[in-house]
Amino acid sequence: MGEKVAAGVFDLADRQRYRRKVQQCLAALRRLLEEERFDRPQNLMGMEIELNLAGPDGLPRMLNAEVLERIASGDFQTELGMFNLEVNIAPHRLRGRVFDQLAEELRTGLGYAQRKANEVAAGIVMIGILPTLGEDDLVTANLSAVERYKLLNDQMVAARGEHFALDIEGVERLVCTSTSIAPEAACTSVQLHLQVTPDRFADVWNAAQAVAAVQIALGANAPFLFGRELWRESRPPLFLQSTDTRPPELQTQGVRPRTWFGERWISSAYDLFEENLRYFPPLLPICDDEEALRVLDDGGVPSLAELALHNGTVYRWNRPVYGVVDGVPHLRVENRVLPAGPTVTDVIANAAFYYGIVRALAEDARPVWTRLPFESAERNFDAACRYGIEAELEWPRSGRFGGTHVLPAVDLVRDELLPLAAAGLDAWGVEPGDRDLYLGVIEGRCRRRVNGASWQAATFHRAVRGGLARADALAATTRRYSELMHQGEPVHTWPTGLLPAPATPPA
């Protein structure tokens, strides 16, 4: 939800007008689909990465406005918390040496941001959840000073009608409450965009849903929150609970949460936009002057502003996106599954695996979503978030007998999905050198059973066994993580533990 919004109090008339206009947007979208008005295949991908700011002590720094002022680049933007930034990578065509190009652009951009952050005694940390965040850091006062965040928070608090409750039980249990949506700011992620034609959208989205659990198992990087060790990827339960506008009674009735895996495979992009309107009341009933159906009648292309705004307040892990570039509409699948980090190489490896496997599965003659119940895909997602690289997942059996079986995620990836991902990257026209380098990183993680979450947990526990108090061990783990992140070697090659203290020279 990156558009600027105007502050104000919404009355009944505002909500009624918004409801009418958003339904007109949906009707206009249907017409655009029926009239085949969308962009031709472009093989375009894009990337956004959310970042944390931390000081030399490893603790969060509430300085994004100061850092952004020094960066002075449109590629970097605010995010929800004052300790957050977001970097946006311009769209690229999926071909040739695209992944090496992305890696170089990211290293250059993050290196520059790091130097500017250093000017105010802060640094960039690319991680799913900053381990040193405390409850006092995630409060309303530490939301970024941007009107849309205040407005979104006010509307979600009003819809909830009471404190937001956090209750996550993993290795340890966290139970607390919040008066705002500020805990959501702890979740920093990578968003991967893929522009697709309407006739391919459903296959790509279904494929992305099917492999969301695999992405988490491979890339988990958020095992700590508020000093507790929770799930290996604690972002999804945290995001769900910190944005849950349902009071307990509505939860008991089965009303859907705004952070949502979904409940079925789809046959059209329209299905998702229509569900978002049918199931979720608007939070920000802000109306544009455009009349979408009139624009269509006049031969133009509507922006569907109300539909896009509403869509941005429903937090699917694979979100449909409608956009218009140079007067031509297009559709994108926005994959929001992955945490940020640990390194640029790891981020690009995750992206290469995703774009390769989604292409291969979307074009499979026996689509995985026809052989795997949707409920199994959702259970897989939950298991991957809980157990990360050690998760066991349900997957269709190969061969003519059919059915599904449960196997370790690392075996599924190495034996079946990596070859498919390689074939998918070949179909995109990616250079073999890029393909082998970045898929090799994924294979290395599987072979060593190491990802960001497992490294963080192992290093933290070693620090505690070495005598550090819990808070000190988390801070030391964060500092060591940051050091290795900036060195840039992929996480499965990182040595576990902290650097030994330098020897005291003899007197």
Side-chain angles (χ1 to χ4, degrees):
M1 203 201 85
E3 299 300 322
K4 292 184 177 179
V5 296
V9 177
F10 305 120
D11 60 22
L12 297 180
D14 293 324
R15 295 187 181 278
Q16 289 174 326
R17 180 171 180 241
Y18 185 87
R19 190 177 299 280
R20 175 184 65 81
K21 291 205 68 184
V22 81
Q23 289 294 338
Q24 285 188 1
C25 287
L26 188 64
L29 177 65
R30 181 187 286 277
R31 275 184 55 181
L32 286 165
L33 291 166
E34 290 172 347
E35 296 170 9
E36 299 182 350
R37 299 277 297 277
F38 284 84
D39 200 2
R40 64 191 186 282
Q42 295 279 357
N43 293 357
L44 284 176
M45 58 81 67
M47 181 185 296
E48 305 166 62
I49 306 176
E50 296 163 350
L51 309 165
N52 291 277
L53 293 171
D57 54 4
L59 302 180
R61 299 279 283 167
M62 307 297 167
L63 293 171
N64 64 356
E66 291 88 338
V67 173
L68 284 169
E69 183 179 4
R70 284 165 169 79
I71 292 174
S73 167
D75 294 339
F76 287 83
Q77 300 175 4
T78 57
E79 254 300 329
L80 183 61
M82 292 172 67
F83 60 94
N84 298 144
L85 302 176
E86 181 177 272
V87 59
N88 298 288
I89 304 300
H92 285 64
R93 294 195 187 279
L94 268 166
R95 65 186 182 194
R97 303 303 299 271
V98 60
F99 294 113
D100 264 354
Q101 293 165 13
L102 286 168
E104 183 59 30
E105 290 177 25
L106 265 179
R107 290 190 185 100
T108 300
L110 293 180
Y112 177 71
Q114 173 74 357
R115 292 191 296 275
K116 293 301 178 181
N118 288 166
E119 294 177 5
V120 290
I124 303 294
V125 184
M126 192 163 54
I127 195 168
I129 295 175
L130 194 65
T132 50
L133 283 168
E135 290 183 54
D136 291 343
D137 296 313
L138 294 172
V139 295
T140 306
N142 286 336
L143 294 177
S144 292
V146 176
E147 198 62 54
R148 68 178 182 271
Y149 297 137
K150 179 182 183 301
L151 189 57
L152 181 64
N153 177 68
D154 291 347
Q155 294 301 303
M156 294 189 88
V157 169
R160 172 84 180 185
E162 57 189 79
H163 290 179
F164 293 87
L166 303 183
D167 186 348
I168 306 172
E169 185 167 10
V171 178
E172 299 173 300
R173 187 176 183 184
L174 172 69
V175 179
C176 63
T177 61
S178 173
T179 60
S180 74
I181 64 170
E184 179 198 334
C187 305
T188 41
S189 65
V190 173
Q191 289 119 44
L192 301 174
H193 291 254
L194 179 60
Q195 183 175 327
V196 292
T197 55
D199 63 319
R200 299 298 294 157
F201 185 97
D203 290 345
V204 171
W205 187 88
N206 289 338
Q209 285 287 101
V211 299
V214 178
Q215 289 180 274
I216 287 286
L218 291 171
N221 197 26
F224 298 106
L225 177 65
F226 297 165
R228 300 286 193 279
E229 184 178 358
L230 302 175
W231 295 10
R232 283 300 180 253
E233 185 54 43
S234 303
R235 285 169 45 255
L238 173 59
F239 209 111
L240 185 154
Q241 294 178 22
S242 63
T243 62
D244 198 347
T245 56
R246 306 168 302 164
E249 295 80 6
L250 293 185
Q251 295 180 32
T252 301
Q253 292 174 38
V255 172
R256 296 160 181 84
R258 297 191 85 95
T259 299
W260 194 35
F261 187 80
E263 60 192 19
R264 65 187 177 105
W265 306 116
I266 65 167
S267 58
S268 166
Y270 182 86
D271 295 349
L272 300 177
F273 289 100
E274 188 275 334
E275 279 184 350
N276 285 356
L277 266 63
R278 179 156 41 104
Y279 293 145
F280 302 104
L283 288 174
L284 301 170
I286 300 166
C287 292
D288 190 78
D289 293 335
E290 176 186 85
E291 294 289 341
L293 292 175
R294 185 178 303 163
V295 171
L296 273 180
D297 289 340
D298 293 341
V301 174
S303 66
L304 306 187
E306 293 84 7
L307 185 68
L309 180 60
H310 181 68
N311 191 58
T313 63
V314 179
Y315 304 104
R316 294 179 182 268
W317 295 109
N318 285 292
R319 175 189 276 166
V321 178
Y322 169 90
V324 181
V325 176
D326 297 330
V328 181
H330 69 265
L331 293 172
R332 303 193 304 274
V333 173
E334 181 190 12
N335 179 260
R336 309 174 66 250
V337 169
L338 288 163
T343 66
V344 168
T345 298
D346 287 301
V347 168
I348 300 302
N350 290 339
F353 177 80
Y354 169 74
Y355 288 117
I357 194 63
V358 163
R359 173 77 182 250
L361 293 180
E363 296 181 350
D364 196 328
R366 297 178 64 218
V368 62
W369 56 92
T370 66
R371 299 179 287 137
L372 182 71
F374 194 91
E375 295 76 11
S376 298
E378 186 172 16
R379 285 195 298 269
N380 282 347
F381 187 74
D382 182 84
C385 291
R386 289 178 183 273
Y387 305 115
I389 201 81
E390 300 296 335
E392 295 193 345
L393 306 178
E394 182 180 353
W395 198 256
R397 292 182 184 275
S398 57
R400 59 191 178 90
F401 295 106
T404 64
H405 61 150
V406 176
L407 70 167
V410 293
D411 292 346
L412 171 63
V413 171
R414 293 180 72 184
D415 296 342
E416 184 171 347
L417 299 187
L418 272 176
L420 285 175
L425 293 178
D426 289 343
W428 286 118
V430 170
E431 284 286 340
D434 261 25
R435 176 199 66 202
D436 295 343
L437 171 63
Y438 293 107
L439 294 187
V441 171
I442 300 297
E443 193 279 333
R445 278 190 225 153
C446 292
R447 177 166 32 85
R448 298 193 182 188
R449 290 179 178 257
V450 172
N451 60 14
S454 67
W455 183 90
Q456 287 185 59
T459 296
F460 165 76
H461 286 294
R462 183 173 293 188
V464 170
R465 290 194 300 270
L468 288 183
R470 174 179 288 254
D472 293 334
L474 287 168
T477 297
T478 302
R479 292 194 300 270
R480 180 63 172 149
Y481 176 102
S482 180
E483 177 186 351
L484 292 168
M485 182 204 88
H486 287 289
Q487 289 178 11
E489 293 300 317
V491 70
H492 70 275
T493 68
W494 290 6
T496 303
L498 309 175
L499 283 174
T504 302

